[in-house]
Each structure stands twice: as C-alpha cells, then as structure tokens.
Amino acid sequence: MDKGRKYVVMCGIAGFISEGKYNLRDLKRMLCIQSHRGPDYTGVWNSGEIFLGHNRLSIIDITTAGNQPMVFENGRYVLAFNGEIYNYKELRAQISKRYRFKSNSDTEVLLYMLIEYGVDALSMLDGMFSIAFWDNEKEELLMVRDRFGVKPLYYHLSDDGLILASEIKAIHEVINCRLPELSTWASYYTKGLYGTENDTFWKGIKTIKAGHYLLYSKGKCVEKEWYSFHERTMELMNSNQFINRSDQEHIDFYGELLERSINRRFRADVPVGFNLSGGLDSSVLLGSIHRLFKASNDIRAFTFFCNDDRFDELKWVREMNQNTNKPLYEVMLLAKDVPQLVDKVSYYQDEPYGGIPTLAYYLVFKQARERGTKVLLDGQGMDEQWAGYDYFHNSLGHVIQGSKSDPLKSALLSQEFKVNSSVPDYPKPFDSDLLNLQYRDLFFTKLPRALKFNDRISMANSTELREPFLNFEMVEYAFSLPVHLKVRDGHAKWGLRQIGLKLFENSIALAPKRAVQTPQVEWLKGDLKDFVMASIEGLLRKKPEWFDKPNVDVEVDAFMKGKYDNSFFIWQLINTNTLF
C-alpha cells in the first residue's frame, strides 16, 4: 500500500498490465484524475508488470481494515473493487468457518468468495460492482461488471498491454490520445444512442458489458457472460410456483422483495438519504422507507425544483412527504446556473449526457454531501421492469418519454459524417414484443445511459448512489409478470400502483407517468438562447466536417420559433461542444 501522499478520491479502480511501458507514477496519475470519486484513501499495489490502484469512499467498515487493494494473506490474490455487496453479511456467515476475517467490510467477504468459488461466486452477489481480481499464481486478471452495469469499468487494449479504470479520463491521462469514435458519435445523432454495449465515444476505449467478465492472460482478452437475464426469467416464468400464484400473491411477493432490497441498501456506517420526485416510483420508495424506518428522523430526503410552477413537482413531493418525519431539502436550479454547470458536469461525464435534469441532479448530490449525507437511494429501474414508458404502448417508435415529434434531426449532419452511423440490431429473445422492448431498455438504451449519468454526478460529489429497485430478483420478477399486471384500467405499472395505494392516497398512486420535469425547452429558446447560439457556433468551428451548416441553421431556427415539442437535438449540439 502507498503510505505516502493521500489523494482526494472516490470509489474507483485503476490499473494496468504492461511490459515496462507504464509505471507507478502513471498509476498515481490515473488515480488523481479520478480524484472527485472520494476523499478517504488511495491505495496502490504492484508486482512486476501488474499495477492496481483504488480510490476509496468509506461506507462499510470505515476503518483502515477495509482499505484496498486488498491482498490475501499468502499474497496470491489481490482485489480492487468498486461498489457494494449488499448481502455481504449473509455471505460472510456462509464462509466464516473457512476464513479468518480481519475487517467488517464487504470487500473482504468478496475477496474470500472469489477465492472460494471463482466466477461462480458472482451469481451469489446482490450488489453493484466493478471488480479487478488478480491471481499471482495463474497470472490472470479477472475484470467484472454487475448484472445491470450500475458501476462502470473501462479498458484500453493495445500491444503495450491492458489499462483499466472506472473513468475514461483516467485512461486518457496515460495513453495521451483522445480521438472521437466516429461511428458512436454519428449514431448518437441519427439514432439517439449513447454507445453500444462495448463501444464508447472515444477511439480505443471499451467498456465491459453488463453481466459480463473479461479474463486477461498473457496478452489475450476473453469476454464471457456470467449473468443471463433471458435464461433466468424464462426459468421463472415456466416454474409452477410462479404460474400458480394469484394476482394478489404476485403483488405481495414482489412487495416482500422490495422491502428486503431497501433494508439491505440501508446497510452503511454513514448517513443514508434518498432522492425524491413527484412520481409513483418515488412514492413507493418513500412509503417503504417510512414503513421500515418509521422511528428514524435522521433519514434525509432531497429533491430539486426550477422555480417554475408549470414543471416543478414540489406540490407532489411535499404532499408525499408531509405525513413522514423525514426532513426534506429542496434544491433550486435556475437558468442562469446552466452554462457553468454544463462545463462542469461534462468534465465528470466524459461522454454526452441527458440534459438539464442531469444538471439538477448534480446539485442534489452536491447538497446531500454538504449536509453530510454520504449515501443516497434513488428510484431508477421501475419503468423498465414494469413497462412504464408511454412508447411501450403506442406506435410512435420514439425512445424519449413524452415526445410527440421525432427528437432526432439527422439532417444536421454532413453526408460524409452520417455514413458512419450504424443501425442497432437489438436481440429479441422473447416471444412478446412488449418484453423485447423492455429487454432493449434494460440492457441497451434507457437504463444503461441513466445509470451512467447518475454514477458520474453522484461520484463527482463524493456520494454513493444506491438503486434498491435494481435488485436482480425484483427486476426478474416484475419483468416476468403477465401483461395485465403491468397495464390495466388505462394505467401502466398497475401492480406497482397497488403497492403504492397501500402507502399513499390515490392522487399519488394513480398519477400519470411524467418525464423528469424541467423547463429545458423554454430555457433553451428563452433565457439561454444566447448560450445556445454561442455553443452551436463553437461546435461548427470545431467540427465543421460533421455538420451541414445550412440545415443546422434551419432546424435551430425552427426550434427557436416553437415548432418542436422537444429540445433533444439542441442539447446534443450543446453537449458535443463542451466535450471538444
């Protein structure tokens, strides 16, 4: 372990295997560039040509015994791990007779599980994680991402060896090369994609797929799937126990899974709070937390508003929260804050992100950290598992919630640049069109990009975001339910609403699905018009070969005159400008 300078860092991992190309100084540079990921400890380990480093945010066992990289007592195994294993107590009890524990951390449990069971241990984990696990004897590096890709893991493979990190900028720091991946950028504009399962927006930087591991040995990489969502859900749907349950039994069983998941995600040795909006998912989260921790008045709730009654959800949020004893902190985002926040958040994201709501959530995490709340729970994942988005149930084919017009404007692009775009061929493993759309959103579109945005803005503020609705058993169960439990009486997420009805009044549980509410369209053609025009002009100077300027002028003018009901293509231009 590095006993020298302490770097200000967050939960993240970095490392490389290289024949003399890189050294300990390079590893420390990588860890420093991820410095926004936490304040508590920076550890490094190396042996020969293998280097591993860790940025720690102390959440479970905040003593030095939980520091990483963690080395097994005989020196054979080394673990650098980012995330949380929520069922670590149960797993520890399972293997406690075979190992001598020196800490109360989930990291040590994970280390022994990997030693004991190898990759088979992964299916026993309930958590979010990216893992680098080195076996000195076999000279193999195992790199793993969790089932839904909550935690990031990037790598660069070349003749010089392998480099891995939690953030793209850390890899760029040492390879000294930052070139755009044209196919990803073109597909972003023509298809609204934020990269593929493996590809990023930057040439030579790959990401490990959710639910997969990468095994690196003797200069070769092999990627394999360790979690098959399709197989597990098909097995569940065909089981007699599942088939024979009544509608109410399905709902009750899902409620039990939900309660257990929230309970586990409150395991921490630091304060835990949660994000709150005015929708059904937040009401279920708030109601469940209140029922489980009714006597606790130190669990803080955080929400944002934009000082605009047409969009703000404060009325719903305050109504939901009024019967609990949970303190509520309201964070305001104004139009004047946007230009500075765009630059700041773009630095942390490394790639395009989702607009002004992401900026608002950045301020929420900032406020939480300033209030001493180190862990926040969020309601991500319900729409994907319960078929909550409007485009699941209409024929428009759009991939943006609430949009009546096509949010994509491929006419902005030059013909030379547009040809780099590729048409995604998403797998359709199920017989049902609805299930295939849900599957697409879980693993290829909506959920992956939301998780990516949220990880970056939480880590930027040295806070840990936990997603209780992404417990894999919950996702598998809700996904597998018959359609009439998802959509009934004109309401999506019908079964989840029945749980909500037990927690809150009908006005909340039966409220229609809404997109995250901000006045983005109004601001971009109003208070922020000068900022928009300056950003677009800047982008056209930087990347003139990408765009058809006359068509850009036409489309931007149409937006400013109110001809479009969404601002996605305007945001694309602004966002791209900040990344070059």
Side-chain angles (χ1 to χ4, degrees):
M1 296 294 178
D2 181 7
K3 301 296 185 181
R5 176 183 174 188
K6 293 291 181 70
Y7 300 92
V8 182
V9 288
M10 173 59 196
C11 225
I13 59 179
F16 47 80
I17 300 175
S18 175
E19 295 182 7
K21 174 72 174 179
Y22 305 109
N23 55 39
L24 185 59
R25 182 178 297 177
D26 294 312
L27 179 60
K28 290 183 177 181
R29 285 167 56 206
M30 293 176 70
L31 295 171
C32 279
I33 208 71
Q34 294 181 165
S35 62
H36 49 279
R37 292 187 76 93
D40 298 327
Y41 183 78
T42 300
V44 298
W45 174 91
N46 72 282
S47 176
E49 297 163 358
I50 171 76
F51 291 75
L52 290 177
H54 184 261
N55 306 140
R56 186 183 184 196
L57 178 68
S58 303
I59 301 294
I60 295 173
D61 187 351
I62 58 178
T63 71
T64 59
N67 287 344
Q68 299 181 48
M70 188 171 284
V71 184
F72 189 51
E73 57 189 15
N74 67 5
R76 175 176 172 178
Y77 303 102
V78 186
L79 173 66
F81 148 63
N82 171 27
E84 298 290 350
I85 308 302
Y86 301 120
N87 62 335
Y88 76 100
K89 290 185 177 180
E90 291 80 2
L91 295 176
R92 177 172 174 144
Q94 179 179 322
I95 59 172
S96 60
K97 292 181 180 179
R98 297 190 291 280
Y99 294 92
R100 183 179 59 189
F101 283 84
K102 303 178 181 65
S103 75
N104 293 313
S105 70
D106 59 338
T107 304
E108 191 173 13
V109 173
L110 176 59
L111 173 64
Y112 298 154
M113 288 292 293
L114 289 169
I115 293 171
E116 184 76 10
Y117 300 106
V119 294
D120 291 340
L122 302 175
S123 62
M124 307 177 200
L125 307 179
D126 175 13
M128 57 178 185
F129 46 85
S130 60
I131 296 168
F133 180 65
W134 173 251
D135 185 331
N136 260 316
E137 187 174 297
K138 291 184 178 179
E139 296 186 341
E140 289 181 346
L141 180 65
L142 176 69
M143 295 170 285
V144 186
R145 281 188 82 195
D146 60 64
R147 292 172 179 84
F148 301 110
V150 180
K151 282 299 173 184
L153 187 54
Y154 297 99
Y155 68 95
H156 170 77
L157 184 63
S158 70
D159 292 340
D160 294 323
L162 174 80
I163 305 174
L164 66 99
S166 293
E167 299 204 354
I168 290 172
K169 67 174 66 64
I171 297 177
H172 279 153
E173 178 71 10
V174 294
I175 66 173
N176 198 28
C177 178
R178 189 173 180 270
L179 297 174
E181 184 61 70
L182 295 182
S183 62
T184 308
W185 282 100
S187 298
Y188 171 57
Y189 278 94
T190 61
K191 306 298 179 186
L193 305 179
Y194 287 78
T196 67
E197 291 179 286
N198 281 121
D199 292 323
T200 71
F201 283 79
W202 304 105
K203 191 174 290 294
I205 308 293
K206 302 286 187 180
T207 181
I208 297 175
K209 298 176 187 177
H212 284 65
Y213 68 83
L214 196 71
L215 191 62
Y216 181 89
S217 179
K218 298 178 174 61
K220 295 182 180 180
C221 268
V222 178
E223 185 167 354
K224 292 185 178 181
E225 181 182 63
W226 68 267
Y227 174 64
S228 175
F229 181 81
H230 171 251
E231 289 182 5
R232 284 186 58 91
T233 51
M234 290 301 297
E235 182 179 341
L236 176 63
M237 285 188 279
N238 291 326
S239 66
N240 289 331
Q241 186 179 30
F242 184 86
I243 293 170
N244 293 330
R245 281 178 177 149
S246 67
D247 289 356
Q248 190 59 52
E249 286 172 332
H250 278 308
I251 293 169
D252 290 344
F253 183 76
Y254 183 84
E256 293 171 9
L257 293 176
L258 169 65
E259 188 169 296
R260 186 183 69 180
S261 179
I262 292 175
N263 247 324
R264 284 182 174 178
R265 280 149 185 82
F266 265 83
R267 289 176 173 175
D269 296 324
V270 296
V272 179
F274 59 100
N275 293 335
L276 194 58
S277 66
L280 170 64
D281 304 350
S282 273
S283 74
V284 171
L285 179 61
L286 171 62
S288 300
I289 290 172
H290 182 56
R291 183 168 63 186
L292 290 169
F293 307 101
K294 194 167 187 176
S296 177
N297 60 4
D298 60 350
I299 300 173
R300 296 166 174 166
F302 297 86
T303 192
F304 76 83
F305 67 105
C306 296
N307 206 30
D308 188 325
D309 291 339
R310 296 172 297 171
F311 300 95
D312 289 338
E313 297 188 328
L314 280 180
K315 173 179 177 262
W316 297 88
V317 170
R318 288 168 176 167
E319 181 183 345
M320 286 161 49
N321 199 57
Q322 65 182 354
N323 294 323
T324 77
N325 58 348
K326 308 298 183 281
L328 175 66
Y329 295 90
E330 301 168 357
V331 182
M332 182 167 64
L333 172 68
L334 298 175
K336 67 180 180 61
D337 303 324
V338 169
Q340 183 179 5
L341 283 172
V342 165
D343 284 339
K344 182 176 291 187
V345 173
S346 293
Y347 169 78
Y348 294 126
Q349 292 283 340
D350 284 323
E351 298 181 290
Y353 57 96
I356 286 177
T358 304
L359 306 182
Y361 279 121
Y362 172 85
L363 293 181
V364 167
F365 288 109
K366 184 173 184 290
Q367 175 73 239
R369 182 68 191 197
E370 290 172 353
R371 296 281 180 180
T373 301
K374 215 170 181 180
V375 175
L376 286 178
L377 273 61
D378 190 87
Q380 194 68 53
M382 282 300 198
D383 286 305
E384 290 81 5
Q385 60 186 279
W386 282 94
Y389 294 119
D390 58 3
Y391 55 75
F392 284 145
H393 315 292
N394 62 42
S395 58
L396 293 175
H398 299 158
V399 293
I400 294 182
Q401 168 75 18
S403 179
K404 296 177 181 177
S405 61
D406 190 347
L408 302 170
K409 302 287 181 277
S410 60
L412 301 174
L413 307 181
S414 68
Q415 290 300 320
E416 295 78 8
F417 182 60
K418 193 185 301 184
V419 297
N420 293 292
S421 174
S422 59
V423 178
D425 184 19
Y426 300 124
K428 297 179 179 180
F430 299 96
D431 293 334
S432 160
D433 289 341
L434 176 61
L435 291 184
N436 284 327
L437 281 174
Q438 290 182 254
Y439 183 74
R440 179 200 68 182
D441 275 14
L442 271 170
F443 291 99
F444 300 96
T445 56
K446 293 288 288 188
L447 186 64
R449 67 190 186 224
L451 293 176
K452 180 163 62 175
F453 305 158
N454 291 345
D455 172 81
R456 305 309 182 274
I457 55 175
S458 62
M459 298 293 94
N461 290 290
S462 299
T463 55
E464 180 175 276
L465 179 62
R466 297 179 174 182
E467 311 283 6
F469 299 159
L470 287 182
N471 165 263
F472 68 97
E473 292 170 302
M474 285 176 59
V475 178
E476 293 166 1
Y477 202 88
F479 185 95
S480 303
L481 290 172
V483 174
H484 72 269
L485 286 179
K486 298 177 184 177
V487 185
R488 190 190 295 187
D489 302 332
H491 293 291
K493 300 191 285 191
W494 185 87
L496 184 64
R497 292 178 190 275
Q498 306 317 299
I499 295 175
L501 284 169
K502 294 182 179 180
L503 301 169
F504 285 100
E505 297 298 325
N506 288 11
S507 61
I508 293 173
L510 298 181
K513 170 67 182 172
R514 304 183 298 277
V516 177
Q517 299 293 292
T518 66
Q520 178 166 305
V521 172
E522 289 70 19
W523 283 359
L524 293 182
K525 67 182 181 183
D527 292 353
L528 294 172
K529 181 176 180 179
D530 290 344
F531 167 69
V532 171
M533 299 310 295
S535 297
I536 294 173
E537 289 171 10
L539 177 59
L540 293 177
R541 286 195 303 270
K542 294 172 185 176
K543 294 292 178 185
E545 71 279 11
W546 286 15
F547 299 98
D548 184 319
K549 187 179 185 305
N551 281 341
V552 172
D553 292 340
V554 169
E555 295 288 6
V556 172
D557 183 63
F559 171 78
M560 292 299 176
K561 291 178 178 177
K563 294 184 178 180
Y564 298 128
D565 73 338
N566 69 78
S567 55
F568 183 67
F569 80 98
I570 296 292
W571 178 258
Q572 286 178 306
L573 297 169
I574 295 169
N575 205 178
T576 303
N577 180 58
T578 63
L579 290 165
F580 286 98

